[in-house]
Amino acid sequence: MNENNKIAILGGTGPQGKGLAKRFAMVGVPVVIGSRDSVRAAEVAAELNAALPQGSANIEGMENLEATKMANEMVILSVPYSAHDATLADIKPLLSGKILVDIVVPLAPKNPKAVVMPPEGSATEAAQELLGDEISVVGALHNVSAVTLNNTEQPINCDVLVCGNQLEAKKSVMALIEKLGVKAYNAGLAESARCIEALTPILIRLNISKEVSFTHAGVTIAPPVH
Protein backbone atom coordinates (compact mmCIF):
# COMPACT_ATOMS: atom_id res chain seq x y z
CA MET A 1 0.00 0.00 0.00
CA ASN A 2 1.28 3.44 -0.93
CA GLU A 3 1.53 5.38 2.34
CA ASN A 4 0.03 8.41 0.60
CA ASN A 5 -3.16 6.47 -0.10
CA LYS A 6 -6.09 7.71 1.95
CA ILE A 7 -7.97 5.23 4.11
CA ALA A 8 -11.57 5.56 5.31
CA ILE A 9 -12.73 4.60 8.80
CA LEU A 10 -16.51 4.24 8.98
CA GLY A 11 -17.65 4.68 12.54
CA GLY A 12 -14.68 6.96 12.93
CA THR A 13 -16.41 9.12 15.52
CA GLY A 14 -16.53 6.21 17.98
CA PRO A 15 -13.72 5.40 20.45
CA GLN A 16 -12.03 2.69 18.38
CA GLY A 17 -12.38 4.64 15.15
CA LYS A 18 -10.92 7.79 16.68
CA GLY A 19 -7.98 5.89 18.13
CA LEU A 20 -7.18 4.29 14.79
CA ALA A 21 -7.55 7.60 12.96
CA LYS A 22 -5.06 9.28 15.27
CA ARG A 23 -2.53 6.49 15.10
CA PHE A 24 -2.65 6.16 11.32
CA ALA A 25 -2.38 9.93 10.86
CA MET A 26 0.62 10.01 13.20
CA VAL A 27 2.50 7.56 10.96
CA GLY A 28 1.69 9.54 7.82
CA VAL A 29 -1.44 7.80 6.51
CA PRO A 30 -4.17 10.28 5.49
CA VAL A 31 -7.55 9.39 6.99
CA VAL A 32 -11.16 10.25 6.31
CA ILE A 33 -13.55 9.32 9.09
CA GLY A 34 -17.12 8.49 8.16
CA SER A 35 -20.32 8.82 10.13
CA ARG A 36 -24.05 8.87 9.47
CA ASP A 37 -23.82 12.53 10.57
CA SER A 38 -21.46 14.51 8.32
CA VAL A 39 -21.41 17.49 10.68
CA ARG A 40 -20.38 15.32 13.61
CA ALA A 41 -17.69 13.66 11.48
CA ALA A 42 -16.24 17.04 10.50
CA GLU A 43 -16.26 18.21 14.12
CA VAL A 44 -14.46 15.10 15.35
CA ALA A 45 -11.90 15.34 12.54
CA ALA A 46 -11.13 18.93 13.53
CA GLU A 47 -10.72 17.90 17.18
CA LEU A 48 -8.38 15.07 16.25
CA ASN A 49 -6.28 17.21 13.92
CA ALA A 50 -5.86 19.83 16.64
CA ALA A 51 -4.44 17.22 19.00
CA LEU A 52 -2.07 15.56 16.53
CA PRO A 53 1.68 16.19 16.69
CA GLN A 54 3.29 18.29 13.99
CA GLY A 55 4.03 16.33 10.83
CA SER A 56 1.01 14.05 11.08
CA ALA A 57 -1.17 13.37 8.06
CA ASN A 58 -4.54 15.09 7.81
CA ILE A 59 -7.83 13.67 9.05
CA GLU A 60 -11.04 14.62 7.24
CA GLY A 61 -14.61 13.92 8.29
CA MET A 62 -17.71 13.32 6.19
CA GLU A 63 -20.77 11.12 5.72
CA ASN A 64 -20.15 7.38 5.29
CA LEU A 65 -20.82 7.21 1.55
CA GLU A 66 -18.56 10.17 0.79
CA ALA A 67 -15.86 8.77 3.05
CA THR A 68 -15.99 5.45 1.21
CA LYS A 69 -15.61 7.22 -2.12
CA MET A 70 -12.55 9.07 -0.81
CA ALA A 71 -10.69 5.90 0.18
CA ASN A 72 -8.05 4.92 -2.36
CA GLU A 73 -7.86 1.27 -1.38
CA MET A 74 -9.03 0.44 2.13
CA VAL A 75 -12.23 1.04 4.04
CA ILE A 76 -12.20 0.10 7.73
CA LEU A 77 -15.59 -0.76 9.23
CA SER A 78 -15.72 0.25 12.90
CA VAL A 79 -19.43 0.69 13.51
CA PRO A 80 -21.48 -0.93 16.31
CA TYR A 81 -22.56 -4.44 15.37
CA SER A 82 -26.19 -3.30 15.25
CA ALA A 83 -25.25 -1.11 12.25
CA HIS A 84 -22.91 -3.64 10.60
CA ASP A 85 -25.10 -5.11 7.85
CA ALA A 86 -27.01 -1.91 7.06
CA THR A 87 -23.78 0.07 6.64
CA LEU A 88 -22.32 -2.57 4.34
CA ALA A 89 -25.47 -2.64 2.23
CA ASP A 90 -25.25 1.15 1.83
CA ILE A 91 -21.60 1.24 0.80
CA LYS A 92 -21.48 -1.97 -1.27
CA PRO A 93 -21.84 -0.18 -4.66
CA LEU A 94 -18.80 1.96 -3.77
CA LEU A 95 -16.41 -0.84 -2.76
CA SER A 96 -15.41 -2.11 -6.20
CA GLY A 97 -11.64 -2.44 -6.32
CA LYS A 98 -11.28 -1.73 -2.60
CA ILE A 99 -10.64 -3.84 0.50
CA LEU A 100 -13.16 -3.87 3.33
CA VAL A 101 -11.39 -4.26 6.69
CA ASP A 102 -13.99 -5.48 9.17
CA ILE A 103 -13.06 -4.89 12.82
CA VAL A 104 -16.58 -5.34 14.20
CA VAL A 105 -17.28 -7.88 16.96
CA PRO A 106 -20.86 -9.16 17.41
CA LEU A 107 -21.03 -8.58 21.15
CA ALA A 108 -24.24 -9.66 22.83
CA PRO A 109 -26.73 -6.85 23.46
CA LYS A 110 -26.21 -5.43 26.96
CA ASN A 111 -23.52 -8.02 27.68
CA PRO A 112 -20.02 -7.28 26.32
CA LYS A 113 -18.74 -10.46 27.98
CA ALA A 114 -20.41 -12.63 25.33
CA VAL A 115 -20.85 -12.80 21.57
CA VAL A 116 -23.85 -13.71 19.48
CA MET A 117 -22.43 -14.88 16.19
CA PRO A 118 -24.51 -14.41 13.03
CA PRO A 119 -25.62 -17.45 11.01
CA GLU A 120 -22.58 -17.07 8.73
CA GLY A 121 -20.30 -17.78 11.71
CA SER A 122 -18.75 -14.36 12.36
CA ALA A 123 -19.13 -10.70 11.45
CA THR A 124 -16.26 -11.05 8.99
CA GLU A 125 -17.93 -13.96 7.20
CA ALA A 126 -21.27 -12.13 7.22
CA ALA A 127 -19.59 -9.17 5.54
CA GLN A 128 -18.06 -11.39 2.86
CA GLU A 129 -21.41 -13.06 2.24
CA LEU A 130 -23.22 -9.73 1.96
CA LEU A 131 -20.61 -8.10 -0.30
CA GLY A 132 -19.92 -11.11 -2.51
CA ASP A 133 -16.64 -12.73 -3.52
CA GLU A 134 -15.71 -9.91 -5.91
CA ILE A 135 -15.00 -7.63 -2.94
CA SER A 136 -12.14 -8.57 -0.61
CA VAL A 137 -13.08 -8.66 3.08
CA VAL A 138 -10.36 -8.89 5.72
CA GLY A 139 -11.02 -9.29 9.43
CA ALA A 140 -8.54 -7.53 11.72
CA LEU A 141 -8.04 -5.45 14.88
CA HIS A 142 -10.82 -7.21 16.78
CA ASN A 143 -8.88 -7.62 20.02
CA VAL A 144 -7.28 -4.18 20.48
CA SER A 145 -8.72 -2.03 23.25
CA ALA A 146 -10.14 1.34 22.24
CA VAL A 147 -8.49 2.85 25.32
CA THR A 148 -5.15 1.49 24.15
CA LEU A 149 -5.65 2.92 20.67
CA ASN A 150 -6.46 6.35 22.04
CA ASN A 151 -3.50 6.44 24.42
CA THR A 152 -1.12 7.47 21.67
CA GLU A 153 1.69 8.26 24.12
CA GLN A 154 2.12 4.51 24.59
CA PRO A 155 2.73 1.81 21.95
CA ILE A 156 0.00 -0.68 21.19
CA ASN A 157 0.50 -3.56 23.64
CA CYS A 158 -0.58 -6.53 21.55
CA ASP A 159 -0.35 -8.37 18.24
CA VAL A 160 -3.05 -8.36 15.57
CA LEU A 161 -4.63 -11.46 14.04
CA VAL A 162 -5.73 -11.02 10.42
CA CYS A 163 -8.01 -13.33 8.47
CA GLY A 164 -9.73 -13.44 5.09
CA ASN A 165 -10.13 -15.49 1.94
CA GLN A 166 -7.93 -13.38 -0.36
CA LEU A 167 -4.21 -13.65 0.41
CA GLU A 168 -3.06 -10.48 -1.34
CA ALA A 169 -5.73 -8.43 0.41
CA LYS A 170 -4.57 -9.82 3.76
CA LYS A 171 -0.98 -8.94 2.97
CA SER A 172 -1.98 -5.36 2.15
CA VAL A 173 -3.93 -5.03 5.39
CA MET A 174 -1.10 -6.53 7.41
CA ALA A 175 1.35 -4.04 5.88
CA LEU A 176 -0.98 -1.17 6.78
CA ILE A 177 -1.44 -2.36 10.37
CA GLU A 178 2.28 -2.88 10.87
CA LYS A 179 2.80 0.83 10.20
CA LEU A 180 1.36 1.24 13.71
CA GLY A 181 4.38 -0.55 15.19
CA VAL A 182 2.65 -3.86 15.88
CA LYS A 183 3.09 -7.36 14.51
CA ALA A 184 0.25 -8.66 12.34
CA TYR A 185 -0.19 -12.39 11.76
CA ASN A 186 -2.02 -14.18 8.96
CA ALA A 187 -4.52 -16.23 10.97
CA GLY A 188 -6.13 -18.02 8.04
CA LEU A 189 -9.34 -17.83 6.06
CA ALA A 190 -12.38 -15.76 7.00
CA GLU A 191 -13.74 -18.65 9.09
CA SER A 192 -10.91 -18.01 11.57
CA ALA A 193 -12.81 -14.88 12.56
CA ARG A 194 -15.14 -17.14 14.54
CA CYS A 195 -12.31 -17.70 17.00
CA ILE A 196 -10.72 -14.26 16.76
CA GLU A 197 -13.92 -12.30 17.29
CA ALA A 198 -14.89 -14.62 20.16
CA LEU A 199 -11.66 -13.72 21.98
CA THR A 200 -12.84 -10.14 22.50
CA PRO A 201 -15.47 -10.84 25.17
CA ILE A 202 -12.96 -13.07 26.97
CA LEU A 203 -10.51 -10.15 27.06
CA ILE A 204 -13.28 -7.83 28.23
CA ARG A 205 -14.14 -10.25 31.02
CA LEU A 206 -10.51 -10.44 32.13
CA ASN A 207 -9.93 -6.71 31.86
CA ILE A 208 -12.85 -5.85 34.14
CA SER A 209 -12.16 -8.66 36.61
CA LYS A 210 -11.16 -7.71 40.14
CA GLU A 211 -8.97 -10.80 40.23
CA VAL A 212 -6.33 -9.36 37.87
CA SER A 213 -4.12 -6.31 38.22
CA PHE A 214 -4.38 -5.10 34.63
CA THR A 215 -6.87 -3.54 32.24
CA HIS A 216 -6.96 -3.21 28.43
CA ALA A 217 -4.88 -6.34 27.80
CA GLY A 218 -4.72 -7.78 24.31
CA VAL A 219 -3.52 -10.90 22.50
CA THR A 220 0.19 -11.56 22.06
CA ILE A 221 1.72 -14.42 20.06
CA ALA A 222 4.61 -15.72 22.16
CA PRO A 223 7.31 -17.58 20.21
CA PRO A 224 9.60 -19.85 22.27
CA VAL A 225 12.60 -18.07 23.75
CA HIS A 226 14.95 -21.04 23.54
Side-chain angles (χ1 to χ4, degrees):
M1 175 180 174
N2 187 321
E3 65 181 27
N4 293 319
N5 281 355
K6 186 175 296 183
I7 64 170
I9 303 176
L10 308 187
T13 60
Q16 195 163 19
K18 287 194 287 188
L20 285 172
K22 287 187 290 186
R23 286 191 180 266
F24 279 123
M26 288 172 64
V27 296
V29 179
V31 177
V32 53
I33 58 175
S35 170
R36 290 176 296 178
D37 183 342
S38 61
V39 174
R40 175 62 178 156
E43 290 173 347
V44 170
E47 293 169 4
L48 297 178
N49 282 321
L52 289 173
Q54 187 174 4
S56 299
N58 187 52
I59 300 174
E60 300 173 83
M62 56 193 67
E63 190 271 336
N64 280 333
L65 294 179
E66 292 302 314
T68 303
K69 292 177 185 177
M70 293 288 289
N72 294 96
E73 182 183 3
M74 297 206 194
V75 177
I76 298 175
L77 187 64
S78 180
V79 300
Y81 179 60
S82 59
H84 181 267
D85 289 3
T87 304
L88 287 175
D90 286 343
I91 66 172
K92 179 178 178 178
L94 306 174
L95 289 175
S96 179
K98 300 179 182 182
I99 299 170
L100 189 283
V101 185
D102 198 330
I103 74 171
V104 177
V105 175
L107 295 175
K110 300 181 181 180
N111 182 13
K113 295 183 289 185
V115 288
V116 178
M117 291 299 192
E120 295 83 358
S122 65
T124 301
E125 290 170 281
Q128 188 68 80
E129 179 71 21
L130 192 155
L131 296 177
D133 291 339
E134 66 275 11
I135 296 173
S136 296
V137 174
V138 176
L141 294 161
H142 299 105
N143 312 135
V144 186
S145 162
V147 172
T148 295
L149 290 173
N150 280 280
N151 184 10
T152 55
E153 294 183 359
Q154 297 293 330
I156 295 172
N157 63 333
C158 59
D159 299 322
V160 175
L161 302 176
V162 178
C163 62
N165 296 336
Q166 292 83 22
L167 179 59
E168 291 307 313
K170 280 190 290 188
K171 288 181 177 179
S172 294
V173 173
M174 291 167 66
L176 173 68
I177 291 171
E178 290 188 341
K179 291 180 182 292
L180 302 180
V182 301
K183 177 62 179 176
Y185 288 92
N186 180 355
L189 300 177
E191 64 186 23
S192 295
R194 303 176 191 185
C195 302
I196 300 168
E197 293 173 20
L199 283 173
T200 297
I202 296 173
L203 290 169
I204 292 172
R205 182 181 293 272
L206 287 172
N207 287 331
I208 65 177
S209 171
K210 296 179 180 179
E211 298 179 4
V212 300
S213 59
F214 55 79
T215 59
H216 313 303
V219 173
T220 299
I221 303 301
V225 295
H226 51 78

